[in-house]
Amino acid sequence: MTNMSRLLNQPPNMGLPFETTDDTYYFPERVEHYDPDNRTGTIRWNRYLRKPRLSFNQIDFPFAESQAWEFPEEYEKSPVSVFEIDFVTERTLRLRIGSRHMHLPPAKSTLMLSDEGGNTSPVWHTERREDSVVHSSEHGSVTVQFSPWEIIVKDKVGRVLTETRGYSDISSLLNTNGLPFCYTRSSIDMENRFAASFSLQADEKLYGTGESFTRLDKRGQRIDLFTTDALSVQTPRMYKPIPFYLSSRGYGMFVHASSPLSFDFGASYDDTLSIFTGEEELDLFIFLGSPKEVLSEYTRLTGRSPLPPLWSFGLWMSRITYSSETEVREVAAKLADNRIPCDVIHLDTGWFEKDWRCNYQFSEKRFDDPARMISDLKEQGYRISLWQLPYFTPTNPLFAEIVDQGLAVTTADGKLPTDDAILDFSNPDTIKWYKKKLAGLLEMGVGAIKVDFGEAAPMNGVYASGKTGFHEHNLYPLRYNRAASEATLETNNESIIWARSAWAGSQRYPIHWGGDAENTDNAMASTLRGGLSLGLSGFSFWSHDIGGFVKSSPENLYRRWLPFGMLTSHSRCHGLPPKEPWAYGEAFMAMFRETVNLKYSLMPYVYTQAKLSADAGHPMLRPLFLEYPEDPGCWLVEDEYLFGSNLLVAPFFEEAAERRVYLPPGEWVDYQSGMRYAGGTWHDIAAGDLPVVLLVRSGAILVHMNPALSTAFLDWSELRFVAFAAEEDEQQERSVNLFEPLEQRMYQVRVRGGAICDIRSDSESIQVDSKSGWRAQIF
């Protein structure tokens, strides 16, 4: 690893070893044997080296076939290894390839995979041909070509989605830049490493890879998947890298690995996508379908987010940091006095005796009776969230205990790899110790634990799992998320944390927030891209620091950022003080109140969309193409989003009276002004009273309620059903899903621009029938 990353905990470029002239390269030549019934076979690999070539005063290093040079001569020049294909569902297949001769261990289920995924005994048909075998389901096919060896993935109409890139595909006398599907044998450590190269089409777009802050479409980028404290939202580094992507062609891929990876999305060679791994075995899952179908398949495999508690969808008020009981009670009182709804008050790094020195105990000097404080605030509708981290400095009173009990990560010689004692969550004793510490706080009444950091698991560490940091570093956030989530579930019976770092599978332990955003327009835009990318990587729920984190928020930026922050699944104001709205004056506070009231009044919609998203494995924060994949324009937009299925949000990323907005097909209604716009094109749309463009899909019914100072005080017996009826057909039947069960009561439906009609709920199904003929069923 030293030749790939020179600095501590910085992402390595796993593609660099595939540029060296020191290593031996092996390209797949042909299938030696393939059993179509068991879908297992063997590949013969040919040996190549990079050799210098002079051409018109330029030196390049193309590949040339190489003779064996080992001693004794019994080592094969062209080794043979095993590959296999497995069908998980009619849309999901698994491709595994070994590099160590005839050895391919049994398929493993790791922490990344969900126990609930299961095998559905999918129906795939097999067709034997002279030079290939084709396996097909109702959704597509995979062809195993024998000579040369190739894997070809097609959709249900026979269109090639992607295929492996062989040496003959990308090499010629004058062009030797592409890298074919291969593995290398390292001259440094004799490790084998895969480069899985697949074809890209000219118009193909690629999305996902976790909370990536770079351009939403990853085509032309190289993404290094290695959990890192990014210290920013304007960098390629990621707190939450996920080895998954989906394509506009109608497929997605998940690399089942925890070692560092790099995805080259045509950055080095435009028509080739290369996945660089540090693994000797390649383990890929390929999913077929639309973006929604691919996400549902991926989350069926790796798990879906459970529905967090209702209170978590309210406002979280925070700063760096509330440091005393007096301060916390004052904030709660001012929120109530100024009629600002809020559900959570977060205590960041200052609730210990010494800031940042986590010992899981409230400062006795500054908190007279924390249990009573928590109880009093809960009666007022407020939960308490507490910050902590898994790193313990030598001056921390818990340091010696952690080291003496063997709960920390160590090196091979038993020493600490850094100055800190870093909890080893692959050790069951560590998990037990950690859960006990959290349980003491949760039993006191704490609502949520902030699971901060987790991106710096030492690469030179040796873990209780028996693995080194090379395989445990990326898994660390997943283990950390799980431990805190399980502790909360076991004590409070609620599935909620507030985490910064993640890996594949972490979506099973919501909620995650976006890290340390700068207080700038660009950081606001990058934050949105990160949230959309994370949603396209299997995470239903996500939040971020409204107004930015690292400095005090400029008022005009905070004002524009707030509607974006409130129109996401979870909403937290956090960062360098002041963050409280009264610090900015009466006009700002009035706007703040109105914006927060908007989310609380839409809580039936928000909670319903949360339930539907969690069940399907879809994000609440959606790029336009997720709902409108057939519209080419939707694939190009990265500065707008859909909040659930019916609301379109276009934040203002600069001071302006209006902004350019692309609308998907159909008709759209401005939530603030009532103006109607045709979809499938661009519009210049002005902000309303709130500095945001908020549009509703025509024909949608939005369920509203009266806002309250906390979700604990919301009155679910008085709901307003606002129908944004299509102008050209108000008699068309509409439907809306409402998750919260309703009792038998009378309601009014207010049709914007139309009739007001009465409805009665006899059960969980509500029938609506107005005299004008407009009907709706809410179920």
Side-chain angles (χ1 to χ4, degrees), residues 303-441:
R304 291 174 181 163
S305 302
L307 182 66
L310 174 66
W311 58 262
S312 72
F313 293 87
L315 175 65
W316 297 50
M317 180 54 66
S318 177
R319 59 149 62 177
I320 305 175
T321 173
Y322 301 132
S323 301
S324 70
E325 182 172 335
T326 300
E327 201 171 20
V328 174
R329 288 183 181 272
E330 284 180 353
V331 169
K334 286 187 176 181
L335 286 166
D337 291 346
N338 289 293
R339 306 186 319 282
I340 296 173
C342 180
D343 271 79
V344 184
I345 298 175
H346 172 70
L347 280 64
D348 213 58
T349 60
W351 60 282
F352 319 107
E353 205 64 67
K354 182 177 176 59
D355 283 13
W356 294 90
R357 188 183 289 174
C358 172
N359 62 356
Y360 306 104
Q361 295 180 6
F362 281 89
S363 166
E364 294 181 359
K365 295 177 182 177
R366 291 178 276 113
F367 291 86
D368 297 331
D369 189 344
R372 178 63 181 270
M373 176 192 74
I374 293 169
S375 175
D376 289 348
L377 291 174
K378 191 169 184 180
E379 288 184 8
Q380 299 170 40
Y382 304 112
R383 261 74 172 188
I384 288 293
S385 167
L386 294 178
W387 177 93
Q388 53 83 71
L389 81 171
Y391 314 147
F392 297 82
T393 60
T395 57
N396 192 304
L398 295 175
F399 180 88
E401 178 183 341
I402 293 168
V403 174
D404 293 345
Q405 293 184 22
L407 307 180
V409 179
T410 63
T411 60
D413 57 5
K415 298 178 181 178
L416 294 181
T418 70
D419 290 342
D420 290 354
I422 299 172
L423 292 179
D424 181 356
F425 288 107
S426 74
N427 184 345
D429 291 336
T430 302
I431 295 174
K432 186 183 301 183
W433 179 92
Y434 178 68
K435 284 184 175 181
K436 186 176 180 180
K437 295 294 184 185
L438 296 190
L441 299 167

Side-chain angles (χ1 to χ4, degrees), residues 16 52 63 75 125 212 265 270 276 300 313 330 375 385 397 399 432 492 503 517 522-523 541 664 670 701 713 754:
L16 284 179
F63 294 106
Y75 292 106
H125 304 284
S212 175
F265 291 117
D270 185 63
F276 299 106
R300 179 206 296 262
F313 293 87
E330 284 180 353
S375 175
S385 167
F399 180 88
K432 186 183 301 183
N492 289 354
W503 187 247
N522 278 353
F541 307 110
D670 191 312
I701 303 169
F713 308 132

Side-chain angles (χ1 to χ4, degrees), residues 460-721:
N460 60 332
V462 175
Y463 294 72
S465 64
K467 298 179 180 178
T468 66
F470 188 76
H471 294 281
E472 283 289 345
H473 174 90
N474 282 332
L475 277 182
Y476 192 93
L478 178 55
R479 296 188 187 278
Y480 181 26
N481 295 168
R482 182 178 68 167
S485 181
E486 287 179 348
T488 308
L489 187 63
E490 291 163 6
T491 307
N492 289 354
N493 198 32
E494 291 180 331
S495 183
I496 182 171
I497 57 175
W498 194 268
R500 189 175 76 175
S501 57
W503 187 247
S506 285
Q507 69 271 12
R508 303 194 297 265
Y509 314 110
I511 303 157
H512 293 80
W513 101 95
D516 298 347
E518 296 88 342
N519 310 81
T520 65
D521 293 342
N522 278 353
M524 180 182 170
S526 298
T527 294
L528 174 56
R529 292 196 297 268
L532 291 174
S533 291
L534 190 68
L536 292 172
S537 304
F539 288 70
S540 293
F541 307 110
W542 171 82
S543 186
H544 59 276
D545 292 343
I546 298 173
F549 171 81
V550 297
K551 296 180 180 179
S552 298
S553 300
E555 181 175 338
N556 61 3
L557 176 68
Y558 201 177
R559 183 175 177 272
R560 289 183 280 107
W561 200 317
L562 184 67
F564 163 39
M566 295 309 299
L567 294 170
T568 56
S569 73
H570 290 80
S571 308
R572 184 179 75 158
C573 298
H574 179 67
L576 198 68
K579 299 302 292 191
E580 299 75 26
W582 46 85
Y584 289 85
E586 287 296 329
F588 180 88
M589 187 161 61
M591 183 279 306
F592 192 101
R593 181 189 304 113
E594 184 179 357
T595 307
V596 177
N597 275 335
L598 171 64
K599 184 172 189 181
Y600 278 73
S601 68
L602 286 171
M603 198 58 73
Y605 172 80
V606 171
Y607 201 42
T608 297
Q609 293 292 318
K611 169 63 174 173
L612 297 173
S613 298
D615 286 349
H618 298 158
M620 287 190 69
L621 201 76
R622 303 173 183 178
L624 305 188
F625 69 75
L626 196 66
E627 292 290 337
Y628 301 91
E630 301 305 319
D631 178 44
C634 287
W635 291 89
L636 304 175
V637 178
E638 64 176 21
D639 62 352
E640 310 166 20
Y641 62 95
L642 293 164
F643 184 39
S645 57
N646 292 327
L647 290 178
L648 187 151
V649 184
F652 279 78
F653 298 106
E654 61 180 339
E655 288 296 304
E658 63 180 22
R659 63 154 289 178
R660 201 86 166 131
V661 181
Y662 182 81
L663 300 183
E667 187 180 58
W668 294 85
V669 183
D670 191 312
Y671 183 89
Q672 299 188 77
S673 71
M675 291 185 63
R676 294 174 180 272
Y677 298 91
T681 187
W682 293 88
H683 296 272
D684 292 318
I685 303 180
D689 292 336
L690 302 182
V692 68
V693 173
L694 177 60
L695 301 166
V696 187
R697 181 179 57 82
S698 183
I701 303 169
L702 294 188
V703 186
H704 291 67
M705 68 195 321
N706 295 323
L709 292 182
S710 164
T711 57
F713 308 132
L714 290 172
D715 185 354
W716 289 85
S717 69
E718 296 196 14
L719 302 180
R720 300 188 316 279
F721 296 77

Side-chain angles (χ1 to χ4, degrees), residues 278-289:
E279 308 279 348
E280 293 200 333
E281 173 194 329
L282 183 67
D283 193 356
L284 289 179
F285 289 88
I286 302 174
F287 313 98
L288 307 176

Side-chain angles (χ1 to χ4, degrees), residues 4 10-16 19 209 212 214 217-225 235-238 261-269 274-276:
M4 288 179 273
Q10 293 304 303
N13 177 1
M14 297 302 293
L16 284 179
E19 298 176 8
T209 73
S212 175
T214 58
D217 179 2
K218 305 307 174 189
R219 180 67 180 266
Q221 300 181 44
R222 192 198 80 233
I223 307 291
D224 297 324
L225 295 135
T235 169
R237 297 191 296 266
M238 286 186 281
L261 300 107
S262 293
F263 286 2
D264 186 316
F265 291 117
S268 301
Y269 197 71
S274 293
I275 300 169
F276 299 106

